[in-house]
Amino acid sequence: MPVQPKTIVYLRPDTIGDLVLFTPALGLFMAEWPKARHVVVVREGYESLAPIFPKSLEWLVVHLNPFKQRPSECRKALGALLGTLEVIQPDLILAPTLNRTWLEIAVAAHFINVRSAVLGTAVVDPNFEESLRLDLGIDPAKAFRETADADRSSGEVESQHRFAELLIGRKLPRNLPNVDIPAQATAETGAILSKHGLPAGAWAAVFPGGGVNVSLKSWPSEKFAEVVARLGKKEKIPVLLLGHSDEASVLEQVAALAAKLGGPKPAIWLGRDGEIPLLAALLKESKFYLGNDTGAMHLAAAAGRPVIGIFGGGTWPRFRPSARQAVAVVQPLPCFGCNWDCHFSDAPCVKTIPVADGIRGVETLLGAADKPLNSVVESHALPAETLKLIEATAPGIAALKRDRVERQHKIEELKSETDSKDVEIGDLKAAADAIKAELEQECADKDVEIGELKAETNSKDVEIEELKRAAEERKVEMEAIKAELEQECADKDKEIDELKAETDTKDTEIADIKRSADEREAIVVRLDAGLKAHLAAAAEWERRQSVWESERAALTAKLDMLSKLPSDPMTWAQMVHHKDVHIVNIENIVRARDEEIETLRQSIANYAGGYGATEQAKHYGLLLAEKEAMIQQLHRTCVERQAVINELAAEATAATSKIRRLWIALSTGFGQNVSQPLARWVFRKVVEDYWMQIGVLRQYEPRPIAWDRGLQKVVVADEALPKVGIVTPSYGQPAFLESTILSVLNQEYPKLLYVVQDGGSKDASPKIIARYESRLRHWASEEDKGQADAVRKGFRHIEPELGPDDIMAWFNSDDLMAPRALRFVAGYFAAHPDVDVVYGHRIIIDDQDREIGRWIMPRHEADSIEWIDYVPQETLYWRKRSWDLAGGIDPSFQFALDWDLLARFRQAGMRIVRLPYFLGCFRVHAQQKTSQAIHTTGADEMRRIRTRFHGAAKDDPAHIERHARRIRFRGAFAARLQGAGIRW
């Protein structure tokens, strides 16, 4: 027995006749599942059938025409339909028609995890197949999960009956199409018949038009006129010609021709759009229906009237009338089954049916009186030679048409590629313009900042003057030293004269020294210059030969100078070294003062901006960090002392000393040869060879997002849920903003306080936000000082309404919240009152909402949060009491504001928990702030956070690398467990 569905969606973007023939199967579905919600999707205009269908049936109108439009031409209307269906949340999607369009395939492919069924095979019209592949990237064969085989030689009602039996799972009673006639339409019908003097049930309803959708299948007007004239003259049956107001000329032509042939001129009724219920009421009061294969024919049959239909071979016998009394006039030809893509352009199967065969159909119906009748009147008007010609040429024409379709598909494919390139070029140009505008704005902001810094520079002039005075004092000292050196040089002049006499005797020594220097010079030249220097050595030697004589004189002068130096040159070298150290110390002091002044400037700005609580929290956090650092230093000192004691104890005797040295040697060798290579191998196998790696943003080719089904398991009563306050800061991202807002609003969370704070965007962002004003607690579009300032502004509007245990979060304007994530997180907080902060796994998406990667986070590790930022911000939620203790967002941060807040949560002793579920999507695109600022502003802000925890050791690469590798390893391990069905 099939599972009872809650919501069933029927996809019927076809015509009146198709919808009327669907009524028996629809009645079976509604009788089998009376508690379900039944929704039918139709094209615009066909919702006018609603009054004659069951009252509980819901009608969803789609504002596009899949028979005339490609998906690329109506993306907005398609997106609106899919969005409405997502709200409806169907659990059964049905496409009960053999001739499907791309629309049914697109809907089924979008809801790939919902049960869906289609009548007939998975094959679709080649034109629609190409549109699906090029415009939407969909394989039609994989869209529907179930198919129900259909016999194309059977009628539409029989095929849909088998479809209903397959889905319901048992044999079902067979019914004819049926419609309900509204009372108002019946009253209007009486007035129309009275006006034309037509007695109820005694006149013939003749429908010579009905070719709006397929004009080929219309029987010629002059032949209708002959039948109408015969009905009036011989059968004495009055006639009412019926049709749409657009067909007035056709009806007037038939009426005039009938009168010209000697029959009474028939009355005419022209209907307008939306008057289908009135047409059904008129047909119900007729004696019988005579006309083309149209929706009016099936409407007359459903109203309980006998029908005579003039048929061609386009879809024969699929749309044979289903009525108690029905006659089909048809001319069998070898080209039947063309689906009205006629090989001969003018549908000879219909146009050549003689009037006599039409009259024979009328006589067959009238001769049956009130007995059941289901008859086919075959016409054989064409000669045998013509039939043979049609039989011989039809396959060739069909092959030519298939070739034409294939060529057209190739042209469309090439055009699609060209269009995609044009769009890509346009996007790149728009991105360049956006970057230019952003840089211009940044320059303007920097001008303001430079003005502020100039004011601060003036305050530093006093310090600079003091440094200048110190430099002057040093200059005086250096002058005194210089004077002393000059005096000593004068004293040494005498010694130089004496040394000159000894110079001649040292020529040999100088030559030896020169030779040694030349050899060393050649080695240096070879090492530094490489092959080119080696090849050029010969020329270099010749050049050096010319200057050696002058170098000899210079070397002699240097030796003379060296002989003048004091007898203790180490003393002078030490003095010069002390001078350099003193200069470096002064530079370090100046740099430290600059950093301290910058920190004080930011603190003063925060106090002036009303963020005193944030600064107090940072101050007390810094005191706690300093205390913790002192405790850790004392602990390390104790450990080092204990190690020294152990070492001295081991060296106390020869035996223990040897054992200790042996142990050290074995441990060192084991570490270098076994444990370290093993650790590197394990890391490569577990982390680097696995598809999921924390820190990597693009891990596989784009694909549809697969949401976490585990979020459906938490069920908490609404009254037990806490309030949730969310702020979305926005600036210049209209392409993604609406998706972000809807991902939050569509959570349908009963206690949501949602604020969107825009930074004064000049694009379409304010208009997008305004569309959802009624569902937001507050929104504004005004200038701010950056993301942190926007978040603070947004929370000011909802903080008074939040209690200490209520939940807060901010959600960037280019990210997405996972369905059901809000209720899941709120339920977890309600069930765990001791937890202060939570976060979860991340799905990475591209600019087209396609999944390109995942970060599966390990369990929370408090120590690592002091060194690296790895927590996905779009999955982060906290209680308001934590926000108050930490002091909220620090507006001096523009990049690492989420890590700064987490760090202060850590310092305040908050309990942080990682939930093993995918709570949100992080979007990767060219304009995102993370990509643009990570190496500039981001690096400076991350250094500030590490300084708060670790002081001068903030840039220790070994610690940063160790914690990063640990998080990556534990994340990959958690991902492998999750792949095995274990959420760790």
Side-chain angles (χ1 to χ4, degrees), residues 683-702:
F683 186 83
R684 185 174 67 255
K685 289 296 181 182
V686 174
V687 179
E688 295 175 349
D689 293 346
Y690 193 55
W691 68 268
M692 196 296 298
Q693 293 193 49
I694 295 175
V696 178
L697 294 177
R698 294 183 182 271
Q699 300 170 354
Y700 40 75
E701 291 300 314

Side-chain angles (χ1 to χ4, degrees), residues 735-935:
F736 313 120
L737 176 60
E738 188 166 21
S739 297
T740 298
I741 293 174
L742 287 175
S743 74
V744 177
L745 295 178
N746 288 345
Q747 302 282 321
E748 299 295 339
Y749 189 75
K751 298 182 180 180
L752 175 64
L753 307 177
Y754 189 24
V755 174
V756 180
Q757 188 72 32
D758 183 69
S761 298
K762 306 303 181 185
D763 48 36
S765 297
K767 294 182 180 179
I768 293 173
I769 303 170
R771 287 205 293 264
Y772 302 96
E773 181 175 15
S774 62
R775 302 173 67 184
L776 300 175
R777 180 52 54 97
H778 176 79
W779 80 277
S781 181
E782 57 193 12
E783 291 187 4
D784 52 46
K785 298 178 181 178
Q787 182 184 7
D789 187 39
V791 173
R792 296 289 301 227
K793 283 183 175 181
F795 277 131
R796 285 199 196 106
H797 295 285
I798 55 177
E799 278 190 75
E801 302 181 53
L802 298 175
D805 291 330
D806 289 332
I807 306 169
M808 301 173 71
W810 86 78
F811 219 75
N812 292 330
S813 59
D814 53 358
D815 296 335
L816 297 180
M817 184 180 292
R820 301 172 297 277
L822 213 54
R823 182 175 285 271
F824 178 86
V825 169
Y828 183 87
F829 273 116
H832 300 81
D834 58 324
V835 174
D836 302 297
V837 183
V838 302
Y839 62 91
H841 301 328
R842 158 185 284 176
I843 299 175
I844 306 170
I845 60 175
D846 63 8
D847 55 3
Q848 298 183 40
D849 292 350
R850 300 176 300 181
E851 179 180 329
I852 58 173
R854 294 191 171 218
W855 285 8
I856 298 177
M857 312 307 300
R859 290 183 177 181
H860 182 68
E861 192 169 291
D863 291 342
S864 294
I865 209 70
E866 299 178 2
W867 290 97
I868 58 173
D869 177 19
Y870 63 92
V871 173
Q873 180 272 319
E874 72 277 5
T875 71
L876 183 64
Y877 298 84
W878 63 87
R879 296 189 191 272
K880 184 176 182 292
R881 67 184 182 221
S882 306
W883 170 271
D884 293 336
L885 285 172
I889 294 290
D890 186 348
S892 68
F893 284 84
Q894 294 302 322
F895 175 85
L897 57 162
D898 52 337
W899 186 18
D900 171 67
L901 183 63
L902 263 173
R904 286 186 278 115
F905 284 159
R906 155 89 165 128
Q907 290 178 321
M910 300 294 99
R911 185 183 176 200
I912 305 174
V913 173
R914 185 250 27 206
L915 303 179
Y917 297 91
F918 292 94
L919 302 180
C921 296
F922 175 78
R923 190 185 302 276
V924 176
H925 59 94
Q927 290 80 33
Q928 65 188 151
K929 184 184 73 174
T930 305
S931 301
Q932 297 170 353
I934 190 169
H935 299 299

Side-chain angles (χ1 to χ4, degrees), residues 5-155:
K6 295 181 180 178
T7 302
I8 308 171
V9 171
Y10 308 95
L11 302 174
R12 299 305 312 236
D14 27 31
T15 58
I16 296 173
D18 299 279
L19 287 164
V20 172
L21 292 175
F22 179 53
T23 55
L26 176 63
L28 294 174
F29 289 132
M30 298 185 77
E32 181 67 19
W33 296 311
K35 295 182 180 180
R37 182 182 181 186
H38 298 265
V39 181
V40 61
V41 178
V42 297
R43 284 185 287 148
E44 190 172 10
Y46 292 100
E47 72 277 11
S48 59
L49 276 76
I52 63 176
F53 272 66
K55 299 296 183 282
S56 60
L57 181 65
E58 299 181 33
W59 295 72
L60 177 57
V61 178
V62 56
H63 300 284
L64 56 85
N65 188 341
F67 296 98
K68 297 181 179 179
Q69 293 175 292
R70 293 177 61 101
S72 58
E73 298 171 349
C74 49
R75 291 187 184 277
K76 184 175 182 181
L78 178 59
L81 171 64
L82 295 176
T84 303
L85 291 176
E86 285 179 354
V87 175
I88 293 174
Q89 295 183 341
D91 46 10
L92 179 58
I93 297 175
L94 302 180
T97 177
L98 287 172
N99 287 356
R100 292 182 301 285
T101 69
W102 59 259
L103 179 61
E104 295 94 311
I105 306 295
V107 172
H110 183 80
F111 295 92
I112 195 65
N113 295 320
V114 176
R115 183 189 180 193
S116 58
V118 63
L119 179 61
T121 64
V123 178
V124 70
D125 186 288
N127 292 306
F128 294 142
E129 181 178 5
E130 191 70 10
S131 298
L132 289 164
R133 187 173 65 83
L134 292 178
D135 295 354
L136 300 179
I138 292 175
D139 182 0
K142 299 179 180 179
F144 286 93
R145 302 175 67 179
E146 301 175 31
T147 58
D149 292 336
D151 183 0
R152 290 185 177 268
S153 64
S154 300

